[in-house]
Amino acid sequence: MNSLCYRQVGDLRPSVVTLLRAVMVVAVGALAAANVNAEAPRPNILLILGDNWAYPHASICGDPVVATPTFDRLAHEGALGNNVFCQVPSCSPARAVLLSGQATHRLGEAANLWGNWASGLETYPDLLASAGYVVGFEGKGWAPGVYQASSTNAALDNPAGMKFKTFGSFLDSVPDGKPFCFWFGSRDPHQPWGAKQEFRAGLDASKVKVPEYLPDVPEVRETILDYYAEVQSLDHDASQLLKELDERGLGENTLVVMMGDNGWQTPRGLANVYDAGTRTPMAIRWPKVIKPGLVLDQFISFEDFAPTFLEVAGVSVPSDMTGKSLVPLLKGNEVNDWRDAIFLERERHANVRAEDESYPCRAIRTKDYLYVWNIEPELWPAGDPKMHFAVGPYGDIDNTPYKAFLLEHQETPEYRPFFELAMGKRPAEELYDLRTDPDQVRNIAAEPANAGVVSKLRQRVQKWMEATDDPRAKNTRDRRFTKYPYFGGPPRNRPGPK
């Protein structure tokens, strides 16, 4: 669906919108089916998605403590992605980018956490279902947010597909000869941590590498071990999914992707455009196509997965998708025009500022630098420093032992710098030299020697915003993302069945 159709559908009455959607889904399905190569069996697709699993917290990525044998196996038998970014460091918006193949700011209400699914927004599960795939999900699909109030396909329980209790029950429902696409949405390693103690045994706190944005104290090291235990739980669950595939003889014709949905829930992690909030592990296996042991150092965005899955299935990629198919990279082809940077952004995460304000950022991450444009630097990046709803002060930082420690010790000179990094206001522009500052804690944007780099990266961000129809390209104070409803309060505030 092109952008003109998107705007027109959004302006029509609900009954007409429903009719138009039905016609468009049928039309898209017919076109998609016509593009499928019927002579070859179409590959199955299995996505294994961790919840707040950050790079490099996998053993094959160099983490000295956590053990991820299943993830490592997929990487050894397929490809490992070293520069995979979710684009937006917020759960449901990141998943919306993954599903739609579009830049976050194009997604309307779905660009915010706890919003509505944007009316008229197509997804790869929709298109695959129309092309004959059986589509399902288990666990956490597109969430948190409200789907039924503005669904594009009433036949699906969620933008990720039809809901099933287990992968096995889903496979039981797939007719012989039919290809499938399944989304396994784990709730690990999302906080609160500590419930997966059976996976914590043997983890050594003394070997933990504490990033520079966290104080190196026992409380932090022990909390990281609790998080690692849930990463290992996720890895174990993934092993059971692969076992199910193998026992049914489906492994050889299934493309498997395993990755996180965004960064981890630490200060300067989730809800921040730094690497800790946007960079995730990724392994992908596609037998007989990907040469085992392939390493992908190219920049990969969540926008790229929808066009990838569609190309794998032989389905035409809609022109609205801003991502690029990974298939040429997976086949080991040299792609000279692949991107040399990744663009990042965020709007409203939690509703933790007066007047429901967003905290808009746009950023570019290159090999050597991260440049961040804080569009409204007068706002508090971590949320207002006062009680707001039930989340407490600085509500864009989840309530974890990390946050509790910083709040308790905010006046202690030794720990005050960590508090300011996490919760203090930030200048309009930030620049980090990743060659000397991989944890991105020393902002060098104001140094005269870096003026040329800042100017060049600023211009690239502005050109990207214009090219992708970012509302803030024309009006930096566009209020639409602030005005969209937020359904993260009590259930009585959410539309749909009570």
Side-chain angles (χ1 to χ4, degrees):
M1 189 187 304
N2 62 35
S3 57
L4 177 60
C5 289
Y6 177 90
R7 289 193 295 271
Q8 289 174 334
V9 169
D11 292 338
L12 294 175
R13 295 179 181 274
S15 59
V16 180
V17 171
T18 301
L19 177 61
L20 280 177
R21 283 179 188 152
V23 172
M24 285 187 285
V25 166
V26 171
V28 169
L31 289 171
N35 284 280
V36 172
N37 181 358
E39 296 181 358
R42 290 177 284 171
N44 307 309
I45 298 167
L46 171 61
L47 174 66
I48 305 170
L49 197 60
D51 198 357
N52 298 112
W53 179 28
Y55 186 92
H57 304 143
S59 40
I60 197 171
C61 297
D63 191 291
V65 178
V66 71
T68 52
T70 308
F71 179 80
D72 299 357
R73 171 191 166 189
L74 289 172
H76 286 305
E77 295 177 354
L80 175 69
N82 283 326
N83 287 294
V84 179
F85 292 81
C86 65
Q87 192 185 81
V88 53
S90 183
C91 190
S92 43
R95 292 165 185 250
V97 171
L98 197 161
L99 286 159
S100 69
Q102 297 198 50
T104 317
H105 53 255
R106 297 166 62 93
L107 304 183
E109 296 181 65
N112 285 344
L113 187 76
W114 273 113
N116 267 320
W117 182 259
S119 178
L121 185 60
E122 289 180 322
T123 67
Y124 76 80
D126 272 341
L127 296 170
L128 291 180
S130 298
Y133 270 69
V134 182
V135 177
F137 81 102
E138 174 189 349
K140 187 174 181 178
W142 175 77
V146 175
Y147 172 60
Q148 287 79 7
S150 57
S151 64
T152 55
N153 188 340
L156 300 182
D157 295 327
N158 184 279
M162 292 295 295
K163 188 172 181 60
F164 286 81
K165 289 185 176 180
T166 66
F167 183 40
S169 63
F170 167 76
L171 292 177
D172 290 341
S173 77
V174 178
D176 289 342
K178 278 273 194 178
F180 69 79
C181 176
F182 192 77
W183 168 304
F184 176 80
S186 175
R187 296 188 182 275
D188 291 336
H190 194 288
Q191 67 89 25
W193 305 296
K196 301 296 177 70
Q197 291 299 304
E198 66 270 30
F199 294 99
R200 201 180 190 277
L203 297 180
D204 187 348
S206 69
K207 295 181 179 179
V208 167
K209 182 181 178 181
V210 178
E212 287 193 67
Y213 50 84
L214 292 175
D216 190 352
V217 295
E219 295 94 322
V220 166
R221 286 179 173 268
E222 292 297 326
T223 301
I224 291 175
L225 290 191
D226 288 336
Y227 158 82
Y228 281 163
E230 295 210 358
V231 172
Q232 296 189 166
S233 174
L234 164 67
D235 193 82
H236 170 77
D237 289 344
S239 73
Q240 301 307 299
L241 298 174
L242 298 186
K243 180 180 178 183
E244 188 85 46
L245 279 180
D246 291 341
E247 289 179 347
R248 294 175 184 250
L250 298 170
E252 285 299 303
N253 194 38
T254 301
L255 181 148
V256 180
V257 178
M258 183 175 176
M259 62 186 184
D261 68 341
N262 44 243
W264 59 337
Q265 293 160 289
T266 62
R268 293 177 75 88
L270 179 67
N272 292 273
V273 294
Y274 311 119
D275 279 17
T278 58
R279 192 176 181 187
T280 78
M282 191 276 285
I284 180 167
R285 185 184 72 181
W286 190 6
K288 300 179 182 178
V289 177
I290 300 176
K291 184 179 179 180
L294 179 67
V295 176
L296 300 175
D297 289 323
Q298 296 91 340
F299 284 107
I300 294 172
S301 170
F302 271 27
E303 300 163 277
D304 300 334
F305 289 97
T308 299
F309 295 156
L310 294 176
E311 182 174 347
V312 164
V315 177
S316 296
V317 177
S319 59
D320 274 1
M321 290 190 176
T322 54
K324 304 172 71 170
S325 171
L326 301 173
V327 169
L329 298 182
L330 300 178
K331 290 182 176 180
N333 298 335
E334 186 173 342
V335 184
N336 294 322
D337 63 345
W338 195 262
R339 65 174 69 91
D340 65 348
I342 207 87
F343 291 97
L344 309 166
E345 60 182 309
R346 65 151 286 178
E347 284 293 341
R348 189 175 65 206
H349 182 62
N351 190 4
V352 293
R353 293 174 193 84
E355 307 301 325
D356 301 338
E357 284 285 358
S358 172
Y359 187 79
C361 297
R362 301 294 185 266
I364 182 172
R365 167 67 154 80
T366 70
K367 177 184 177 183
D368 294 333
Y369 293 101
L370 172 69
Y371 165 81
V372 181
W373 176 29
N374 297 305
I375 299 175
E376 299 185 38
E378 69 275 12
L379 299 175
W380 293 93
D384 288 347
K386 62 180 181 179
M387 300 299 290
H388 197 84
F389 293 106
V391 296
Y394 308 105
D396 265 353
I397 303 176
D398 284 351
N399 291 326
T400 63
Y402 308 125
K403 180 179 179 180
F405 182 91
L406 293 181
L407 288 174
E408 183 179 352
H409 297 88
Q410 60 182 287
E411 300 302 334
T412 305
E414 182 180 359
Y415 303 120
R416 181 70 187 183
F418 297 99
F419 176 86
E420 290 292 341
L421 274 174
M423 300 169 189
K425 289 186 176 180
R426 296 166 188 168
E429 294 184 300
E430 301 174 64
L431 181 70
Y432 300 93
D433 187 335
L434 307 180
R435 296 165 296 185
T436 58
D437 182 20
D439 286 334
Q440 300 152 20
V441 296
R442 289 176 285 280
N443 179 16
I444 58 174
E447 296 179 8
N450 299 316
V453 174
V454 169
S455 177
K456 179 181 178 180
L457 296 179
R458 181 195 304 125
Q459 291 177 30
R460 290 194 65 179
V461 168
Q462 291 170 344
K463 288 181 180 179
W464 166 72
M465 293 171 66
E466 293 168 1
T468 55
D469 300 318
D470 189 333
R472 293 191 186 274
K474 293 182 178 179
N475 178 12
T476 59
R477 298 287 170 152
D478 190 296
R479 313 317 298 165
R480 70 187 65 191
F481 298 105
T482 289
K483 292 179 180 178
Y484 289 140
Y486 178 83
F487 300 112
R492 65 178 179 275
N493 294 336
R494 303 171 196 166
K498 300 293 188 288

